[in-house]
Amino acid sequence: MADDKLDKIKKQRDRFLAFSFATSDLLIEVAEDGTIAYALGAARSLVGINDKSLMGLRWLDMFSPNDRTTLSSMKERARMAQRCGPVLVTLEETIGGGHQALLSAIRMPDSDKFYLSIGFSNVLMSKHAEEVKFYEDRELLDKESFLAAAKEALDLAKSLGQDLDMTLLDIANIGEVRGRIGDEQWNQFRDAMTSLLSSKSVDGQAAAEIADGRYSVIHDKAINADMLRGEIERLAKESDPTGTGFTVESKTVSADLSTLSDRETTKALIYTINEFERKGTSLSIETLNSGFKAYVSVNAQKISQFKTMVEQLAFDLHFQPIVDLKTGDAVHFEMLSRFRDNTPTQEWIIFGEDIGMAADFDIAVCERAINYLLYKSSGRRTKFAVNLSGQSIQNEQFFKTLHAKLLMNKTLSDRLMFEITESTTIQDLDMVNHFVKILQDDGFKVCLDDFGAGSASFQYLHRIHVDYVKIDGQYTKKILNSERDAIMVKNLSQMCRDLEIKVIAEMIETQDQADKVRSLGIGYGQGYLFSKPMPKPEYTNWMQAENT
């Protein structure tokens, strides 16, 4: 009975060894203190000494100094029963003759050992040539790419019930440092740091340069930020010709994901990275959870401020003329909002859309516009255009409110127009066209703003039956120097004429531009050549004023 049990154990051992050596040439067991506790395989022919002689050596000493940081990180990051690698490594010159090998590693349950399998097969290495370049030619992500990679890593960690940290690193006086050590040494340092941060990141990717000299990396909690900073400062000394090095400041932000939803995690991550970009490691955020609370607190105040400004109508109307390019007369004025806190209007409009309050703001602007036409326009019959956000015009309740106000002031239908802006993508084109048709039936004209050469603009024009289109200013600015853009504008103008739609070219700043757009068949223009937005409309002939 004992013999049968022993025979089974030997067969199991033989199968294990056959399985192991089918994919590797040398097996190594690393103790928790980093020494080789056991080695088995063709050690002599591969590394020059027999496997027993490897025992007691520090396992990292087997490999090139350039690989030790990566391998040390691999050991720190290794999770139970999950294979690490394969990674292409180079053996230390005195032990392995500088040969390359494929290394895989694993931690086994109920063991404090770290197991390595090393393969020297040229066939295997060539087969995995691309896969094993795990840390070679690595580039740090930019901010936007990092936010996407970090969110993906955090979502995966949350699904697995794991915690991650985000370490932020800031090189003080980056400009002075680069100038002192020179471009060549700086590039060497940056390459080494790129490899280091990539190796420390949770997936080899979630490492980025957020701003000049400011870096971030998502990693396991096992990685200590002070040690990471120390390694970077060591690289700094090696790259500094004087050996002085330079200071690196670090801060670790714990993920702390248990109480955050996916949406909240995204908001917290974006807010934290933006704060780091602005303030460096002096930011006060300790966890993504506290980052989200800070985001809510900051934006709660901003939301309250926006609501108050809308309710109190704390903005003024400015007027910019749309000019007939043949006569120079103003055919109508666009009403533009200017907030009294001096914040750029576009920032508030985008914020209003982000928090779902674009409709509230647009209603307030429409009320101001109606009051102006009723009581402040000096009895003139001049036409005025008001902007409506793409978000508002898709809001049924907004349209009901707007339509009710217009029905009470139907006498303004020949003086009030609406411009639909593309600051928010329009999804329900049929519903928007239905609203546009109601406005037109009541006598109000509608313009499609920011019209361009993209497929979305043509789809809008096909599905929304407007009276005017306003050519995006980017084309106006280019038509004098780009034949391609001039042809596009000419074709757009011809298409609109065929559809009996009037065309306005915006951002006309020079007389040459005005002459060019007119030659392309465009009847109307808007821009600084004629007038900047003004606190009150100026009724003049703009061509005569320009000539004067």
Side-chain angles (χ1 to χ4, degrees), residues 254-278:
S254 175
D256 188 22
L257 300 174
S258 58
T259 60
L260 295 180
S261 68
D262 289 346
R263 183 187 64 80
E264 291 168 343
T265 299
T266 300
K267 295 290 186 184
L269 184 63
I270 293 172
Y271 180 78
T272 301
I273 290 298
N274 285 339
E275 283 290 279
F276 174 55
E277 184 178 18
R278 288 190 291 265

Side-chain angles (χ1 to χ4, degrees), residues 62-111:
M62 288 182 58
F63 306 99
S64 164
N66 292 333
D67 289 335
R68 290 173 189 170
T69 297
T70 297
L71 295 175
S72 177
S73 175
M74 175 186 283
K75 182 173 181 291
E76 291 175 2
R77 290 169 32 226
R79 298 186 178 123
M80 291 298 179
Q82 293 186 20
R83 185 177 67 181
C84 305
V87 176
L88 186 64
V89 295
T90 301
L91 296 175
E92 204 277 328
E93 190 69 35
T94 59
I95 294 179
H99 294 301
Q100 289 189 316
L102 283 178
L103 180 146
S104 295
I106 193 169
R107 282 191 184 276
M108 296 302 292
D110 302 321
S111 173

Side-chain angles (χ1 to χ4, degrees), residues 446-454 457-462 464-472 475 487-505 517 520-524:
V446 180
C447 175
L448 186 61
D449 198 3
D450 304 319
F451 190 81
S457 291
F458 283 96
Q459 187 178 15
Y460 290 171
L461 192 60
H462 176 66
I464 304 175
H465 301 159
V466 295
D467 304 288
Y468 290 80
V469 297
K470 188 177 285 187
I471 300 292
D472 195 305
Y475 299 104
I487 292 173
M488 284 184 177
V489 171
K490 181 178 180 180
N491 291 336
L492 290 174
S493 174
Q494 181 60 54
M495 178 183 63
C496 289
R497 282 202 305 274
D498 292 342
L499 294 171
E500 298 183 349
I501 297 172
K502 295 177 181 179
V503 182
I504 303 166
V517 297
L520 297 176
I522 295 176
Y524 306 97

Side-chain angles (χ1 to χ4, degrees), residues 320 325 473-480 505-515 517 525-532 546:
Q320 189 173 28
L325 294 177
Q474 64 171 315
Y475 299 104
T476 308
K477 288 185 174 183
K478 295 177 182 178
I479 56 174
L480 294 179
E506 64 180 2
M507 293 190 184
I508 296 177
E509 298 177 350
T510 69
Q511 188 60 50
D512 288 342
Q513 289 174 337
D515 294 340
V517 297
Q526 178 181 10
Y528 284 6
L529 172 66
F530 309 114
S531 174
K532 294 182 178 181
E546 175 63 21

Side-chain angles (χ1 to χ4, degrees), residues 115-385:
Y115 295 90
L116 312 177
S117 66
I118 304 174
F120 299 85
S121 165
N122 289 332
V123 175
L124 185 61
M125 284 201 295
S126 62
K127 180 180 178 181
H128 294 284
E130 293 302 318
E131 179 184 357
V132 298
K133 289 184 178 179
F134 194 69
Y135 299 114
E136 293 183 6
D137 303 322
R138 177 66 64 189
E139 289 291 334
L140 293 174
L141 301 176
D142 58 24
K143 185 174 83 169
E144 296 305 318
S145 299
F146 173 76
L147 288 172
K151 180 61 167 58
E152 184 177 341
L154 291 171
D155 286 346
L156 179 60
K158 187 175 182 179
S159 68
L160 297 174
Q162 298 171 347
D163 283 329
L164 299 176
D165 284 340
M166 178 169 63
T167 291
L168 309 171
L169 299 147
D170 190 0
I171 298 176
N173 303 315
I174 182 68
E176 184 274 329
V177 167
R178 226 180 355 235
R180 177 166 58 83
I181 70 175
D183 289 342
E184 182 178 353
Q185 292 300 112
W186 170 258
N187 289 335
Q188 289 180 8
F189 164 76
R190 193 176 182 282
D191 289 344
M193 186 173 65
T194 296
S195 177
L196 173 64
L197 294 182
S198 297
S199 71
K200 297 295 187 184
S201 68
V202 67
D203 57 359
Q205 299 181 36
E209 184 172 16
I210 300 301
D212 194 17
R214 289 179 176 167
Y215 305 87
S216 61
V217 56
I218 300 285
H219 57 80
D220 291 340
K221 283 187 171 293
I223 294 179
N224 182 281
D226 290 336
M227 293 178 61
L228 180 58
R229 186 185 69 248
E231 290 186 52
I232 294 176
E233 290 183 338
R234 177 182 59 78
L235 293 175
K237 287 184 179 181
E238 292 176 356
S239 302
D240 188 343
T242 67
T244 304
F246 39 87
T247 302
V248 180
E249 298 172 349
S250 68
K251 182 180 183 68
T252 295
V253 176
S254 175
D256 188 22
L257 300 174
S258 58
T259 60
L260 295 180
S261 68
D262 289 346
R263 183 187 64 80
E264 291 168 343
T265 299
T266 300
K267 295 290 186 184
L269 184 63
I270 293 172
Y271 180 78
T272 301
I273 290 298
N274 285 339
E275 283 290 279
F276 174 55
E277 184 178 18
R278 288 190 291 265
K279 300 178 181 178
T281 52
S282 64
L283 78 169
S284 59
I285 297 171
E286 302 296 335
T287 69
L288 286 183
N289 193 298
S290 63
F292 179 70
K293 291 178 180 178
Y295 165 82
V296 171
S297 175
V298 168
N299 284 283
Q301 181 179 356
K302 194 172 181 180
I303 290 169
S304 176
Q305 181 183 358
F306 185 74
K307 286 182 176 178
T308 299
M309 289 192 300
V310 171
E311 290 170 357
Q312 296 180 355
L313 303 180
F315 57 89
D316 297 311
L317 295 178
H318 280 51
F319 304 84
Q320 189 173 28
I322 284 73
V323 174
D324 186 318
L325 294 177
K326 289 182 180 179
T327 66
D329 294 324
V331 293
H332 68 269
F333 288 83
E334 181 179 1
M335 289 179 164
L336 299 164
S337 304
R338 294 292 183 269
F339 282 94
R340 294 171 189 163
D341 71 339
N342 294 321
T343 301
T345 301
Q346 190 63 18
E347 287 187 19
W348 278 119
I349 290 175
I350 292 173
F351 180 73
E353 291 176 342
D354 285 344
I355 63 174
M357 287 191 61
D360 299 83
F361 176 62
D362 283 352
I363 284 294
V365 173
C366 289
E367 288 177 345
R368 287 289 299 273
I370 290 171
N371 287 336
Y372 178 85
L373 267 63
L374 289 175
Y375 306 114
K376 298 182 179 180
S377 60
S378 304
R380 291 179 179 268
R381 303 307 298 171
T382 310
K383 295 181 180 180
F384 295 87

